[in-house]
Amino acid sequence: MASHLPSATSGKPILDALSGIRQSKPPIWLMRQAGRYLPEYRAMRAQSRSFMEFCFSPKMASEATLQPIKRFGFDAAILFSDILVIPEAMGQPVSFEQGEGPRLAPINDSQDFLRLRDEIDLEVLEPVFETVELVKSQLPAEVAFIGFCGAPWTVASYMIAGKGTPDQAPARLFAYRYPDLFSRLIDRLVRASVNYLERQVRAGVEVVQIFDSWAGVLPDREFEKWCLQPVLSITRQLKARCPGVRIIVFSRGAKTRLVGFLEEASVDALGLDTSDSVSWSARNIQVKKTVQGNLDPLVLLAGGEALVVEVSRILDGFSAGPHIFNLGHGILPATPIEHVELLLKTVRDGR
Ligand code: CP3
């Protein structure tokens, strides 16, 4: 594996995996590991008026980041925040209605677009960097710290629709109707993301994950223009500014188009989603990059024998190279705590 340079172990299993080192038991963390399936999160969340207020409270957000580490001892902590703090910092306020997901004033035309700030207001994001510092000072030495942002396409899709949709049709339509305007929005989000991630790294995160949760809805040409190129622009600029940072790209639904990231030195690992084939990914992705994933969140919800069998299949399928165990998408709020315990036991003792 020419692109993987084995180095002395760092003392943090996730960082070793990101350096291309194969481990007999892969390190593990879970997307959305902080959140509603944890009773201690629900109790704390009940004390804040809104989700955004919670995200911008360093005391609560740092505690939420640490809760899954204290309870389960995952190999990484992920910053507690949301991808939609970026629109907020661009002057497009975000709110979350109980049980309904995000709400923003939609972008329907050039007038709405022109109301946005050209640059993000980093002042608005200051509490996030403070959260990073607070977590950093309390994190056990072997636990890696992951920051994140949404990829430009995924963030833009919420900015345009003003809410979650099943297929991001409003943003796709907007991009076909107004390609120049859409391109300007994507460029702005690239710049914002690089500045935002750089500040997260300077405050203490060692790894960043870029969530392109809606990459899968685009045809090839649009994927290339709105997902692949903008994400690579972020990873290249961030690596130039912060050479030590490790970068995981989660381009959900990209399928075979993931190969577009393979020759890119600025990308350290690729996140696989639930529908990605383990054997195809082992042969075509893992030979060049560390892979992360890809247990179906519904198997974790189901638990029992189905969970043990599926975890073993993924462990075996990725046993020949560097692997970070994770879900193929975020943990579901109804997931029982005992199932997460069984998952950890199976990954750590089960081989
Ligand atoms: O992973 C973690 O534990 C860290 C925190 C985190 C959250 N959101 C907290 C959150 C991360 C990494 C995210 C990323 C995120 N946010 C994505 C990309 C990953 C993915 O799941 O595809 C997206 C698309 C969003 C936007 C978003 N935030 C939506 C659509 C929603 C509503 C749906 C839902 O899951 O509730 C959120 C709300 C949100 N973000 C919650 C949490 C814990 C629940 C709100 C609450 O607790 O009141």
Side-chain angles (χ1 to χ4, degrees):
M1 254 168 276
S3 65
H4 295 304
L5 300 174
S7 56
T9 55
S10 64
K12 300 197 189 207
I14 296 255
L15 297 187
D16 290 345
L18 290 170
S19 299
I21 298 173
R22 191 192 80 86
Q23 293 159 94
S24 57
K25 290 171 185 162
I28 174 170
W29 68 281
L30 302 181
M31 288 188 277
R32 301 284 193 108
Q33 67 187 18
R36 286 162 296 181
Y37 74 108
L38 289 177
E40 57 271 38
Y41 170 81
R42 292 196 300 270
M44 197 168 47
R45 174 74 177 82
Q47 289 165 23
S48 70
R49 266 176 316 193
S50 75
F51 178 66
M52 290 306 273
E53 182 184 276
F54 190 100
C55 287
F56 287 129
S57 155
K59 200 169 169 306
M60 286 193 279
S62 61
E63 184 52 31
T65 305
L66 291 163
Q67 280 173 346
I69 307 305
K70 291 178 180 161
R71 186 187 269 273
F72 301 113
F74 287 118
D75 294 299
I78 180 159
L79 168 67
F80 191 91
S81 182
D82 198 84
I83 65 167
L84 299 179
V85 298
I86 290 293
E88 179 84 25
M90 278 187 167
Q92 188 184 18
V94 179
S95 64
F96 284 82
E97 299 304 328
Q98 199 68 37
E100 283 185 25
R103 289 287 179 277
L104 308 82
I107 302 177
N108 293 312
D109 51 33
S110 58
Q111 279 189 333
D112 295 335
F113 175 78
L114 289 170
R115 273 196 283 273
L116 300 175
R117 263 196 288 276
D118 200 23
E119 300 284 338
I120 45 169
D121 181 356
L122 281 166
E123 200 60 37
V124 173
L125 300 170
E126 211 52 60
V128 178
F129 311 131
E130 218 178 292
T131 302
V132 173
E133 284 167 10
L134 271 177
V135 171
K136 189 73 181 171
S137 67
Q138 298 171 68
L139 210 56
E142 69 283 4
V143 179
F145 193 6
I146 305 175
F148 71 92
C149 72
W153 159 249
T154 288
V155 175
S157 71
Y158 287 99
M159 293 176 77
I160 287 170
K163 60 182 184 192
T165 67
D167 54 4
Q168 305 301 10
R172 287 155 64 195
L173 205 51
F174 189 100
Y176 290 127
R177 280 188 177 142
Y178 313 112
D180 293 340
L181 210 53
F182 193 69
S183 174
R184 281 173 61 194
L185 176 57
I186 293 289
D187 287 348
R188 267 188 206 186
L189 286 166
V190 166
R191 244 182 302 130
S193 305
V194 175
N195 291 334
Y196 179 48
L197 292 176
E198 178 185 6
R199 288 291 307 274
Q200 290 185 32
V201 175
R202 304 241 178 266
V205 308
E206 303 156 300
V207 179
V208 301
Q209 175 156 318
I210 301 173
F211 286 90
D212 213 349
S213 302
W214 290 99
V217 299
L218 293 180
D220 290 353
R221 215 172 65 95
E222 277 62 37
F223 174 84
E224 169 84 23
K225 242 190 327 188
W226 309 131
C227 295
L228 182 65
Q229 293 310 332
V231 168
L232 289 179
S233 174
I234 294 172
T235 60
R236 287 172 189 153
Q237 292 182 63
L238 185 66
K239 273 281 166 98
R241 293 189 199 177
C242 309
V245 70
R246 315 300 173 91
I247 305 181
I248 305 169
V249 172
F250 179 55
S251 190
R252 188 168 76 99
K255 303 243 182 274
T256 55
R257 301 180 298 199
L258 281 178
V259 299
F261 294 102
L262 285 186
E263 301 303 329
E264 185 61 35
S266 60
V267 176
D268 296 286
L270 290 171
L272 304 175
D273 70 62
T274 301
S275 70
D276 283 312
S277 151
V278 171
S279 60
W280 184 88
S281 306
R283 274 181 281 120
N284 295 284
I285 306 291
Q286 199 188 23
V287 290
K288 293 256 177 71
K289 296 278 182 221
T290 299
V291 291
Q292 175 175 283
N294 69 339
L295 184 74
D296 186 349
L298 278 173
V299 182
L300 186 58
L301 180 55
E305 186 58 18
L307 173 61
V308 175
V309 168
E310 192 55 17
V311 170
S312 306
R313 189 182 72 84
I314 292 170
L315 290 173
D316 287 346
F318 290 130
S319 62
H323 176 212
I324 297 169
F325 200 97
N326 206 318
L327 297 171
H329 198 193
I331 190 168
L332 296 163
T335 305
I337 298 290
E338 308 80 59
H339 295 188
V340 179
E341 289 166 354
L342 176 62
L343 167 65
L344 275 157
K345 191 170 172 313
T346 311
V347 170
R348 290 184 167 158
D349 314 337
R351 323 195 68 210

